[in-house]
Amino acid sequence: EIVLTQSPATLSLSPGERATLSCRASQSVGTNLAWYQQKAGQAPRLLIGGASNRATGIPARFSGGGSGTDFSLTISSLEPEDFAVYYCHQHINWPLTFGGGTKVEIK
Amino acid sequence: EVQLLESGGGLVQPGGSLRLSCAASGFTFSSHPMNWVRQAPGKGLEWVSTIGESGSDTYYADSMKGRFTISRDNSKNTLSLQMNSLRAEDTAVYYCVRRLVLGSRWGTFDYWGQGAPVTVSS
């Protein structure tokens, strides 16, 4: 099983600041990694697929990078609606797995 | 517009059974692998099961094998999850999720339903 480790667990930032989230895989997943955003009481929403491709309708302030085992999600300038929990996910190996999540909270 | 609408959630006793359904619309259902992903209260996301486009290929997380059965009816655009021998640790919101197809490969999850809550308790 591929284990995805997200860091930090919590990120406390102010609106307008830059957020950088990390996801490390226990073995290579190539670029078969996605990022999701989940707000309280809502279903997850796809932000980034293929490690770096923004999903339809996702603002340009969200960017993804990396390949192999090390990945990042960057929010260039936090908007109030960006405070949420973010999950990475690998879809190349069974069982499909998710990281434990990073909560981006208002400082 | 892609829509996934789950139903069938509720309260069930340990050892009991429950069947979840997902009604899909707004896309060609038979062209996409479909999935169930769950989230226990206050916890992260956990993949449960995947079924291929035709229904002939199925995959399960180890803790669900032998207890859960995924199926689909492409004529009715519906996905189902039959859950037997339920345990307290199966308590979660269960999401119906579409999977992208990229040429001949399966991609990531792109659309999620709003979820069906399942509580296993006596």
Side-chain angles (χ1 to χ4, degrees), chain A residues 45-80:
Chain A
R45 174 175 72 145
L46 176 65
L47 296 177
I48 302 285
S52 61
N53 303 311
R54 274 191 305 278
T56 302
I58 301 303
R61 65 180 180 273
F62 291 92
S63 62
S67 65
T69 60
D70 289 297
F71 300 87
S72 63
L73 173 70
T74 300
I75 311 171
S76 59
S77 178
L78 283 163
E79 297 288 338

Side-chain angles (χ1 to χ4, degrees), chain A residues 32-34 36 38 41-46 48-50 56 87 89 91-92 94-100, chain B residues 35 37 39 43-47 50 59-61 95 99-100 105-115:
Chain A
N32 296 285
L33 188 112
Y36 299 90
Q38 187 178 33
Q42 296 185 18
R45 174 175 72 145
L46 176 65
I48 302 285
T56 302
Y87 294 96
H89 161 61
H91 55 85
I92 187 64
W94 305 103
L96 309 182
T97 52
F98 292 88
Chain B
N35 312 266
V37 174
Q39 187 169 35
K43 302 297 184 182
L45 301 169
E46 180 182 25
W47 169 72
T50 295
Y59 306 83
Y60 298 92
Y95 294 102
R99 193 164 179 185
L100 270 173
R105 295 193 306 115
W106 290 356
T108 193
F109 302 144
D110 59 349
Y111 285 95
W112 298 61
Q114 281 307 299

